[in-house]
Every structure is written in C-alpha cells, then in structure tokens.
Amino acid sequence: MLAAAILTVALVVQDQAPLRASPQDAAPRQATLWQGEWLEVRGERQGFLQVYDHRRERPGYIRQQQVRVYPLDETSVPQLQAVVDFLRDTPGAEALGIGYTAALLRAANSSQVGPELFDAMGTLAERLAKRASSRKSNDEALAAHLDVASSYGVKLLTIEQEGRTRLCYDGEAFRRVLGLGGSPEARLRAALALTRPECIDPALLQVERQALDEWRAAVLEQVDTAQLPAWQANRLHLRRAEVYAALAYQWARRGEAQRGARASERSVEELARVLKSELAEEDRSAYAVAAVRVAASRWASVPAPEQPGSSPGLELTQGKPGETCLRLVDAKTPGTSLAAHCTYGLVWPSSIRRSPQGTVVTVAVQLLEGWTELWVFHQEGDGWLLDALSPATMDPGVGYVELAGFTPDGSRVLVAREALVEGKVKSSFQVLKRETLLPEKTAERPDDSGTFKRWSTADWRSRTLAVR
Amino acid sequence: MNIQNIQEKLSEVLKQSVFLARTAGAAVVSRVRWFAFTPKGRRIATGLALAGTVFMVASSPPITLVEPGQLGIRMNLVTGNASELREGWALLVPQVHRLHLYSLKDQVYRPERSIHANGPAPFQSAEGLSIGIEVTLRYALDPARISALATSMPEDVGQEIVEPVIDGVLRRHFAQHTVREIFATQRREIQKAITDEITPMLAKDGVILRSVTLGNVDLPQQYRTGVESLLAEELSAEKMRYTLELKEKQIKETALHAEADKVRREKAAEASAAEEIIAAKARAEAMRHILPFKEKEIEQRRLEAEAAKVSRLTQASAEADARRIEAEGEADARRKLAESDAYRLEVTGKASSEQLARESELITKNPLLIQKTLADKLSDKIQVIIAPPQAGGFIAGNLLGQAAPSPRHANTMGSNRSGARHSNSSEYGSESGDGSEDAQSQEE
C-alpha cells in the first residue's frame, strides 16, 4: 500500500479536492481527489503542497487546507489514533477513516498494532458496505469512497439478493480481531459481522452452505458471552440459535441424526438464553426470525412419543436416495396401506400426532432449512386424504406450521403458523375444518381465539416457540 | 691294453664282492642264531622290536583325527582300495594305510600377480593393453566325487588343478574383449562366460565352482583417464536417461494423482449434485404445495379485479351520465342566464337612456347641477369654490380629460393627486348607476 521510502503523507480530508497542475487556483485540474486518499508530500509552494499521487501516478499541487500532513513514523501515532477513534463512529467519513487507519498501520510499529485497530478498520468497512447497500442512498460521493476503500485493500463483495445488489465486507479485519484477541465487545462485533446471514450468497450450493454454517458456528463459539452486557450477549445468542438451527437440518439431512439433535437442542437453548427484557429495539425482528428458524427445525431434538396400538400408524421407509416414503397403516389390519406418499423433505417421526378419534394423523415435514410444513392425513368417507399445510402462501423461505391440538369431536384442527413475509414475522393461530383444512377462525395471538385457547394441548403449549 | 686291464680289475672286484657277500651272509646268520638262541640275544631283539614299534607308532600314528569340514580318504597300500572317512577318529594301520585329508570348505583363489596393470603377469585386452583385474574365484571340492577321484587327485588341488585351468581361461577371455567392455559394458557377460566355461572343466576334477567375481580393473593411467571421462559422459547420459525416466514416472504419477483427484472430485461433485438435486426437489415440493394457494390467490385477485372493473365501469357510466345531465343543465342555465342578461341589459339600457334623457333635461334646466354633482363626488376635505366659468373651458377639464361645452366650470384647489384619467361620458353614465365608481374616484 504505502511504499517504504515514503516518510510524509498528506491525507485528503475533503471530497472533490482538486489536484492542480501548478500552485494556482486557476491552474488546470489534474485530478479530483476524495477524502481518505493519500498523497506523497514533496514540497510546499505558495500555500500549496507539492504532492505525488501514487494511485494515479501523477504529480500536482493541492491546497494545504484540503489535506492533513503526517510523517509516517511513530511520532504521528497518537494523532492518527485520536482521529481514527473519532472517525470510527462518524457516519459518512468511512473512506477517510479507512485512510487514517491505513496510515496508522503504516506508522505504528508492530507492538502498537492491536486488535483495536483492525476493529476500527472492520467497523468502518462494514459501515461503508451498509451505506452502499442502503436503498435510500442518494450519495454522490459513494462510488468514489468505495474506490478509495478498495485502493487500501478493503474488499467489498457484491451479492445479488432478491433482485437487488448488496455489498458486504469480506471481513478480513474482523478475522484478524478474532485472531489477535481483543475486547469482548470487539470480538462480538467481529463474530457478528463475519456471520451475517444477509451476506451469504444465495447461490451457494447445499454442501458449501453446510461448510459455511459449520464455520459460522465455530466463529461464534470464539466469543465469550460472560463478559458481555446482556443486550449485546442477546445478539450473539440469536445468531448462534439461527446457525445451529440451520446445522440441525443440514446434519439431519445428511443422516447424522444425533449431531442434528444436538444442534437443535443447542439452538433452542441459545434462544432461551436471550433475555427479552434486555432485548434492544433493533434486535426484536431478529429475535422473531431466529425463533421461527429454530422452531422450523426443532423437531430434530424432540424425542419420539410412544406408539399407541389402536390408531392408524405412520410408517417411514427409505425410498430413492434422499427420499422418505410415508405409509399410513391400520394397526388392526397390518399390511394394508391406507395412504402413502413419498417426499424429498425431512420427515420428523417425533412429530406424528393423532386425533382422539383416530381420523386425523399429522406429521411435520421440513422441506427446506427454515421451512416446515404440516402434513395432515384425514379420513373422509372410506378413504384417507393427504393435505399439506404450508406456513404461508409465498415462495418457500422461512416459516413453519405446527399442530396445536384438536377439538374434542375431531372436526377441527388447531394449527399455529409463523412465516417471514416481506421482512416481518407474521404469526397466526388458526382453527381449521378437518374436511377442507380451510381456516375457520384466525387470530394473531392464541388467547384471541376462544376455541384455540380452550383446546390447544398442553404438549403444544409446553413446546412451542410461537408464544414468546 | 687298457680294456684288458679294466676287465681284469672288474673280475677282481666281482670276486671280492662275492666274497664279502658270503661273509656278510654268514655273519647275519650267526647273529640271528645269536638272537634266537641266547637270552641276551633275545632281550636285545625284544628291545629292538619294542624300540622299532615305538618308532613306528611315533612316526605314523595309527589313530588320526579327521577335523570337521574335512574329508579323509584312506588308501590301503596293500589292496589299493580307498575308503571315505568323515569327521572323527580314524584308525590307520601303519605302513598299510595312508590317509589323505581334503578340505570341504569353500576356498578362494585370487591371482595376485594379475591384479595390477604393471604387475608381473597382467592380463591382455583385445587392444593389446596390459590390464590388471582383480578376479576372485570361490570353489570347493565335490565331496561326492572325492573318493572316486582320490587316486588321481593331487594333494594340493588348488595349485595343481584349479589355478592352471583358471589362469588359462581368464587370459583367453580377457584377450577377446576390449578394455571398455571389461571395464564397464560387458563385465557381467564376461563374468558369466568365464563361469560357464570353468564350471564344467573343474567339475571333471571334482571341483565345484561357486562363483567368479571380477573386481577392480587396473588400467594404464592415461587410458584410465580417457575411459573415465568417457564413462563420465556415458554416466551423465545414463543419468539423463534415468532422470528422463524419473520425470516420465513423475508425470505418470502426477497424471495418476490428477486422475484420482479427478475421480474424487467427480464423486464429490456427484454427491454434491445429488444433495443439490434432493434439496431442489424438496424446494419444488414445497412450491407445489403453495402453488394451488397462489393460483387461488391469483384467481381471487382476478375476480376482484373484474368486480372492480365492472364497478368502475358502472361508476364511470353513471358519472358520465351525471356529467352529461349536468352539462345540459348548465347549458340551459347559461342560456337562461344569457337571456336574462340580455333582458336585463335591454331593460337597463332602456332605463339608462331614459335616465340620461331625464338628466339631460335636468341639466339643461339646472346647469349648476354638474358642479354640484362633482362637488358631491369629491372629498369633503376639499374646498369647493364656485367660481365664474373661465373662458374656453371647464375648470375641471383636467380632471375630466376634455373640456365640456358647459357655460360654467368648477375649479379645485388644494392637494390633488389625481392625474385626470376619467372620461366625462363614462363619469356621467356611471355616476348614477354604479356606486363603486364613486368609491374609486374618491380613493384616487
């Protein structure tokens, strides 16, 4: 970045500062400089600094007021440090902050370079990426600032997500923070920035995604929550809950049921560790999303109930590779199949439930990492029908449906649905008719519906994450 | 003469010899008698016999040890028979048996005189160069054939059989090859040829050839230097060949590794693809479950849109009708209004003209009415003085803009800001009908 021979640098502190061909304001403009860029100082003439721009390979003159001059040795470290500390939390001055941090890295000797410096660099780069990804951004200087940041080696990755482009910092500085130690807050910031779910490329393959999630879990394990204030620890717990929920599905998908169960238990535990009273306002939506993700794969850690003999039972067999076949069999006449269906989703045997009359059998089927459906086998006349209840009528993403109980006569099925719709978690507690499975009553809270409140089972109430 | 003398002397010598022999025979007979018949003679004879026996036993012991690794051949000098004796004690009858011991151990022969090129007996190469070769032969006696060949086998088999045979063969072979062949290229072939030739030859003599080894080859110094450089070249060529072979093998190894890697990657990719396919199928399944609802939703929206369309159309039609009716009503209203305006204008005009006629008549009767009216119009702050009319015009002509043909005029005094922009006729017309005009005039 900075050549070894350079002793004095001028850091540009204003946007659109002109680099003149001669020390006059009327002289032709050689280049337009932006805040954060650095120039080598070679002299001073008539109120102008004679400089050389290594990036553009061009000499020129610039007004002294538009730059700050520092010799790149240890004497400048305190001044540079003070400016970095100031700029670190100044919105809009990310490029300048990155320039100062780079100059500080160059000026300081190795013993003075600690995790704080990389924390500042990462924070600035992260904020610049956020600024660039903002929909409301009408920032003229943004492109130039991104250019300046990239000239210092700050890599911002471009990710296409839901029809829009998002810039994400590659996290190099945060990796160094985790490697060098640093304060618990800094480590937390680093871990959260490195495991940001919105910065995961949606085009990642399943195997790559699993490897990434395992790495994310390992990164999150490097932060100790004991020394963090509760509201910050909450963020870590939420992120861990999300990651372990994803891992629970992925491991179970690959046939490692025990690892999947452990991950699911861990995700539930991490979610339970979140102190709601200390939850920051901006984390509330993240809490809801994490709860939905955990609930989607929590069947992995629920033990299977004992099989009653009289009711129709559900048998699971292996079909083609990756396929599970469900067969509804009558315990009284073994060998006869009442209904059968094969799926490429994960069928959770512990979720099999029957209505008291034995006319409805439900099972949870997780089709995607955060998408769990409720499959309902219901007896209509002499035959049995299979209907799948989806969390919401949207493209499969994040959501789940779970059985909350049956009415005593078995004519109604109570379900709880939660899904992430347009960035918000939508919860609904519904009473469905058994025949059509169409909602008869819908409430946003379980207590708002009398039928639901009355007949939802204790099993569901003790286990559900929908009531938070 | 001489011959006769010699014959005479010979005959004398012969006579004396016969005499001496008789005398000696008589003496021996007398001694034997003495030994046999006198006690002293018998003791001496016994003593001599004992001494002789001891001497014989000492000189050729009747029991001999055959060492391990040796084979003894006992020859009976009387009968000419030979018998094998293995290791252990062997009984020999003195003067009857003779024992030959042969070593069964491997023996080594190394022609020392031919080791150096400048030695006493160097080998000759095909080029006629003297070379020293360190040849080592290992041989052993064939125990199965020793007894058969014992009569004809010399005591020192190595020196008397092996060495001459080998020496000849070696020289002949080395003379057939060049130094280079001996030194490097055909060493193994030469060694084999020598072995093949010597083995049957020695086998006839009960010798088994174990091995022939060609060791150091001592060349003449100059030749040695040349050959060594040549060999070095060859060696480097050989080395290059091996290097190339090694490289080829490395390439093959790399190729194999790459192939294995490729297969591994392919398998991993297959597994990954399989997982991807399963995930995609699961996603498709989830989508399939949602699609009916989506379709219903779309249908619902379509129906809603159609209903909205019908509703809007109806509303638009009603609005259009209403507007048409409104427009018609408005047109009618405007027509009525216009008619009423026209009527009003007509009536007003009629009234105005009548008013004008009346005023004209009034003014004609009372000319000062104009001044009065003017004075009434002006502010009460302005003093009005009725002055006699000036010649040629009306005093307030500036105000009115033109001179009135009235015989008398009013004059204004004091502050007067007005620029006299009012016209007479309108002034007169508006004075009676419009109060706002008055206000405007006062304001000005």
Side-chain angles (χ1 to χ4, degrees):
Chain A
M1 211 184 306
L2 303 178
I6 297 169
L7 290 176
T8 308
V9 296
L11 282 164
V12 180
V13 294
Q14 290 178 8
D15 282 335
Q16 297 187 335
L19 183 70
R20 303 283 181 193
S22 61
Q24 290 165 358
D25 285 331
R29 181 187 284 241
Q30 299 264 62
T32 301
L33 304 175
W34 299 82
Q35 58 170 271
E37 290 194 72
W38 71 279
L39 306 161
E40 181 195 344
V41 178
R42 290 187 170 173
E44 187 181 347
R45 286 181 63 192
Q46 301 163 19
F48 280 80
L49 283 178
Q50 187 182 2
V51 293
Y52 187 82
D53 185 354
H54 284 267
R55 200 172 143 213
R56 297 178 181 82
E57 297 182 345
R58 196 169 295 178
Y61 293 87
I62 190 165
R63 276 277 176 204
Q64 284 187 341
Q65 295 83 357
Q66 291 172 327
V67 294
R68 301 287 179 272
V69 179
Y70 300 95
L72 281 187
D73 57 14
E74 289 179 22
T75 56
S76 307
V77 169
Q79 297 174 48
L80 291 168
Q81 182 71 57
V83 179
V84 168
D85 288 345
F86 173 72
L87 291 175
R88 183 185 149 139
D89 298 316
T90 308
E94 290 82 14
L96 184 59
I98 288 169
Y100 263 95
T101 316
L104 181 54
L105 271 171
R106 176 72 181 83
N109 61 31
S110 57
S111 63
Q112 291 171 312
V113 176
E116 302 81 20
L117 203 50
F118 291 110
D119 182 34
M121 174 77 94
T123 307
L124 288 162
E126 182 87 357
R127 212 173 54 235
L128 183 62
K130 201 172 171 184
R131 189 175 130 198
S133 306
S134 170
R135 291 187 189 201
K136 296 170 188 170
S137 179
N138 191 19
D139 203 343
E140 290 176 357
L142 181 63
H145 287 187
L146 289 172
D147 212 19
V148 171
S150 72
S151 75
Y152 285 110
V154 173
K155 284 184 193 165
L156 297 176
L157 310 174
T158 307
I159 290 171
E160 292 282 339
Q161 215 172 35
E162 294 170 3
R164 62 182 283 247
T165 304
R166 176 186 286 278
L167 285 186
C168 286
Y169 176 46
D170 77 337
E172 175 62 28
F174 289 128
R175 284 190 178 87
R176 287 176 186 271
V177 171
L178 287 177
L180 290 170
S183 65
E185 285 84 1
R187 292 179 72 78
L188 175 73
R189 266 194 299 279
L192 290 178
L194 285 171
T195 58
R196 204 173 285 284
E198 58 266 25
C199 285
I200 295 174
D201 189 356
L204 272 188
L205 300 177
Q206 196 69 22
V207 180
E208 295 167 335
R209 180 66 198 262
Q210 184 184 340
L212 179 68
D213 281 336
E214 286 175 11
W215 177 80
R216 287 169 78 205
V219 167
L220 291 169
E221 288 300 328
Q222 291 182 32
V223 185
D224 183 14
T225 52
Q227 298 171 1
L228 288 168
W231 67 277
Q232 287 191 338
N234 279 348
R235 291 181 178 170
L236 187 69
H237 291 314
L238 289 176
R239 188 62 56 79
R240 279 183 186 165
E242 275 186 30
V243 173
Y244 280 110
L247 282 175
Y249 168 76
Q250 286 157 358
W251 281 333
R253 168 92 268 173
R254 296 188 68 155
E256 299 176 60
Q258 288 188 343
R259 279 181 91 186
R262 280 200 298 275
S264 174
E265 275 174 23
R266 183 75 195 277
S267 68
V268 176
E269 182 191 327
E270 291 292 341
L271 192 70
R273 281 174 186 266
V274 175
L275 284 179
K276 276 190 75 181
S277 57
E278 293 290 335
L279 202 60
E281 189 183 350
E282 60 268 29
D283 295 334
R284 290 191 186 281
S285 65
Y287 176 64
V289 174
V292 175
R293 284 184 180 277
V294 171
S297 59
R298 77 158 307 189
W299 284 111
S301 59
V302 175
E306 289 180 11
Q307 297 278 340
S310 58
S311 295
L314 208 52
E315 280 184 3
L316 306 181
T317 51
Q318 189 70 37
K320 293 173 195 166
E323 196 181 38
T324 309
C325 291
L326 298 98
R327 205 159 67 90
L328 191 70
V329 290
D330 192 353
K332 295 169 189 168
T333 53
T336 55
S337 173
L338 302 174
H341 190 79
C342 292
T343 176
Y344 282 96
L346 264 181
V347 181
W348 295 115
S350 54
S351 66
I352 299 171
R353 298 286 183 276
R354 293 164 197 81
S355 67
Q357 289 78 14
T359 51
V360 182
V361 178
T362 65
V363 64
V365 179
Q366 189 167 4
L367 289 166
L368 301 176
E369 185 187 299
W371 190 258
T372 302
E373 294 182 347
L374 184 72
W375 286 18
V376 183
F377 292 89
H378 51 113
Q379 189 178 19
E380 302 303 332
D382 294 334
W384 284 78
L385 297 176
L386 169 63
D387 280 312
L389 295 178
S390 296
T393 51
M394 51 176 257
D395 286 349
V398 178
Y400 70 96
V401 194
E402 59 185 10
L403 178 80
F406 301 96
T407 52
D409 59 354
S411 63
R412 303 286 186 273
V413 182
L414 314 180
V415 295
R417 296 181 193 231
E418 280 200 299
L420 186 66
V421 184
E422 293 172 355
K424 287 183 180 174
V425 172
K426 192 178 169 190
S427 308
S428 55
F429 301 88
Q430 297 177 328
V431 179
L432 310 178
K433 286 182 183 173
R434 192 199 67 193
E435 299 85 9
T436 58
L437 293 179
L438 288 174
E440 193 178 57
K441 287 177 188 170
T442 301
E444 289 188 359
R445 286 180 301 174
D447 294 344
D448 289 353
S449 164
T451 312
F452 198 96
K453 186 181 175 185
R454 196 175 306 119
W455 301 118
S456 55
T457 60
D459 171 45
W460 174 74
R461 283 187 177 276
S462 65
R463 199 187 58 241
T464 186
L465 296 173
V467 183
R468 298 186 282 274
Chain B
M1 269 303 281
N2 288 333
I3 296 169
Q4 280 183 345
N5 289 338
I6 292 166
Q7 285 176 343
E8 285 174 0
K9 282 183 179 177
L10 281 172
S11 62
E12 282 179 8
V13 169
L14 192 64
K15 285 176 184 172
Q16 283 176 356
S17 301
V18 170
F19 175 73
L20 283 171
R22 282 181 181 173
T23 309
V28 168
V29 170
S30 68
R31 277 291 148 188
V32 170
R33 282 179 182 167
W34 185 72
F35 277 120
F37 296 109
T38 62
K40 189 180 176 182
R42 281 198 290 270
R43 281 197 299 272
I44 290 171
T46 306
L48 284 173
L50 281 171
T53 306
V54 169
F55 173 75
M56 280 175 67
V57 168
S59 62
S60 56
I63 295 171
T64 307
L65 180 68
V66 179
E67 299 283 343
Q70 284 185 327
L71 181 75
I73 300 295
R74 188 169 58 189
M75 301 287 294
N76 193 323
L77 299 178
V78 179
T79 61
N81 291 335
S83 59
E84 263 184 33
L85 296 176
R86 298 288 171 178
E87 62 266 25
W89 293 101
L91 188 65
L92 298 174
V93 178
Q95 307 306 323
V96 175
H97 290 143
R98 184 171 292 167
L99 183 69
H100 296 283
L101 290 171
Y102 296 99
S103 174
L104 296 179
K105 292 177 182 171
D106 283 1
Q107 295 173 58
V108 172
Y109 168 59
R110 187 179 290 119
E112 300 289 341
R113 299 191 316 148
S114 310
I115 286 177
H116 299 289
N118 52 2
F123 294 113
Q124 299 292 316
S125 68
E127 303 99 323
L129 285 169
S130 295
I131 53 170
I133 304 173
E134 206 174 74
V135 184
T136 307
L137 289 102
R138 199 157 61 85
Y139 65 91
L141 296 179
D142 187 0
R145 298 193 61 199
I146 287 177
S147 56
L149 296 170
T151 49
S152 58
M153 193 175 277
E155 287 286 332
D156 189 350
V157 175
Q159 197 175 359
E160 292 183 25
I161 294 178
V162 176
E163 289 181 20
V165 168
I166 290 171
D167 211 36
V169 172
L170 289 179
R171 285 183 188 282
R172 194 172 68 249
H173 271 277
F174 290 137
Q176 289 170 358
H177 291 89
T178 62
V179 174
R180 191 162 158 273
E181 289 169 353
I182 298 164
F183 192 72
T185 57
Q186 292 191 5
R187 181 178 282 240
R188 183 172 294 179
E189 288 77 5
I190 293 170
Q191 195 170 311
K192 187 171 181 300
I194 290 170
T195 309
D196 290 347
E197 189 173 344
I198 291 175
T199 304
M201 289 170 76
L202 291 180
K204 287 179 194 168
D205 295 323
V207 177
I208 301 168
L209 182 67
R210 301 276 192 215
S211 68
V212 175
T213 312
L214 298 185
N216 183 39
V217 177
D218 186 27
L219 301 173
Q221 189 55 39
Q222 286 183 345
Y223 188 86
R224 186 185 185 90
T225 313
V227 168
E228 279 180 355
S229 66
L230 189 66
L231 283 176
E233 290 292 328
E234 282 186 6
L235 273 178
S236 68
E238 193 79 353
K239 188 180 170 188
M240 181 58 75
R241 192 165 63 81
Y242 281 120
T243 308
L244 288 175
E245 282 179 9
L246 193 68
K247 288 278 175 200
E248 275 177 18
K249 283 177 183 168
Q250 281 176 348
I251 289 167
K252 278 182 186 169
E253 191 184 0
T254 311
L256 287 172
H257 277 302
E259 192 69 23
D261 204 30
K262 183 186 161 196
V263 171
R264 195 162 51 242
R265 276 206 310 274
E266 278 174 359
K267 290 285 172 197
E270 273 176 24
S272 174
E275 287 193 23
E276 287 304 318
I277 288 166
I278 291 165
K281 282 180 177 172
R283 178 172 284 275
E285 207 175 324
M287 200 67 206
R288 204 162 55 236
H289 294 153
I290 288 164
L291 273 178
F293 296 103
K294 283 226 164 196
E295 281 171 5
K296 276 183 190 171
E297 204 172 303
I298 290 164
E299 181 68 13
Q300 180 70 24
R301 281 188 190 161
R302 195 179 63 78
L303 291 172
E304 281 173 8
E306 275 182 10
K309 181 185 164 190
V310 170
S311 161
R312 279 189 187 174
L313 277 175
T314 312
Q315 196 176 348
S317 168
E319 277 177 8
D321 289 344
R323 281 187 188 167
R324 197 163 52 244
I325 293 162
E326 273 177 14
E328 281 174 7
E330 198 173 334
D332 286 347
R334 284 192 180 169
R335 199 166 55 245
K336 296 279 182 196
L337 206 62
E339 282 174 3
S340 68
D341 276 353
Y343 179 73
R344 185 174 62 82
L345 283 175
E346 190 184 342
V347 171
T348 313
K350 204 178 280 179
S352 295
S353 57
E354 284 175 4
Q355 176 73 15
L356 202 60
R358 278 198 301 273
E359 281 179 358
S360 300
E361 195 179 341
L362 204 60
I363 288 167
T364 310
K365 286 178 184 172
N366 305 301
L368 284 175
L369 191 63
I370 294 169
Q371 283 84 346
K372 182 184 177 295
T373 309
L374 187 63
D376 286 345
K377 277 191 169 183
L378 293 172
S379 169
D380 53 352
K381 290 176 184 173
I382 299 170
Q383 285 182 313
V384 178
I385 298 163
I386 306 297
Q390 290 180 352
F394 173 46
I395 189 169
N398 290 336
L399 284 173
L400 300 171
Q402 66 177 38
S406 172
R408 284 183 294 180
H409 300 280
N411 196 9
T412 57
M413 294 185 69
S415 65
N416 186 5
R417 295 184 288 113
S418 66
R421 288 185 285 113
H422 298 281
S423 66
N424 268 343
S425 59
S426 64
E427 184 74 23
Y428 281 56
S430 62
E431 194 177 344
S432 58
D434 197 275
S436 64
E437 290 279 341
D438 296 345
Q440 191 180 359
S441 301
Q442 282 175 5
E443 197 176 282
E444 285 180 2

